[in-house]
């Protein structure tokens, strides 16, 4: 991969990127399930959703903070919503279930 070569050429460690690439290649059939990309918010959680309470019940009246929008799998927005709703860090949500307890210096 060109990006990996470029990173290695400047002396950067590509172990994590190679690991990610291996996972994508091993599980590409799941990525192939995304046949119709959707417009994603990228930071969808309760603080960015305004709700109006009317006679017929609550209605979403606005979605705020759309600077992270992109196209992709709708489950990506749902995953980030659950991460924020359940608290903790990205490591708590993703690292522990994957068995990766290793901490990188300067990161949590």
């Amino acid at each position: 991969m060109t990006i990996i070569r470029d990173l290695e050429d400047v002396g950067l460690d590509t172990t994590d990127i190679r690991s990610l690439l291996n996972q994508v290649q091993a599980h590409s059939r799941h990525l192939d399930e995304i046949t119709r990309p959707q417009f994603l918010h990228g930071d969808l959680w309760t603080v960015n959703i305004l709700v109006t309470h009317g006679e017929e019940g609550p209605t979403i009246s606005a979605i705020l903070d759309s600077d992270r929008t992109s196209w992709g799998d709708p489950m990506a927005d749902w995953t980030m919503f659950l991460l924020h709703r359940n608290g903790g860090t990205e490591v708590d949500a993703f690292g522990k279930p994957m068995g990766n307890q290793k901490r990188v210096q300067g990161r949590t």
Side-chain angles (χ1 to χ4, degrees):
M1 302 259 11
T2 303
I3 295 171
I4 293 175
R5 267 196 318 271
D6 290 345
L7 293 170
E8 289 173 340
D9 287 347
V10 295
L12 295 173
D13 181 12
T14 59
T15 304
D16 290 342
I17 294 172
R18 286 185 181 283
S19 176
L20 176 63
L21 177 61
N22 290 337
Q23 290 295 317
V24 167
Q25 290 172 336
H27 302 286
S28 63
R29 69 184 182 282
H30 298 295
L31 297 173
D32 291 339
E33 293 174 5
I34 306 167
T35 57
R36 185 174 167 216
Q38 303 283 324
F39 190 64
L40 306 178
H41 183 271
D43 192 17
L44 191 61
W45 62 303
T46 54
V47 176
N48 289 334
I49 302 171
L50 297 183
V51 176
T52 302
H53 296 279
E55 291 180 19
E56 296 181 23
T59 303
I60 295 175
S61 55
I63 304 289
L64 308 175
D65 193 16
S66 59
D67 63 316
R68 295 181 184 158
T69 56
S70 65
W71 290 95
D73 183 354
M75 290 307 293
D77 263 349
W78 183 244
T79 302
M80 295 312 294
F81 171 79
L82 291 177
L83 169 66
H84 287 288
R85 189 179 121 217
N86 293 333
T89 67
E90 288 85 353
V91 173
D92 295 330
F94 300 108
K96 289 179 183 175
M98 292 195 230
N100 183 3
Q101 301 285 325
K102 183 177 161 185
R103 299 277 197 247
V104 177
Q105 185 177 355
R107 294 183 183 176
T108 58

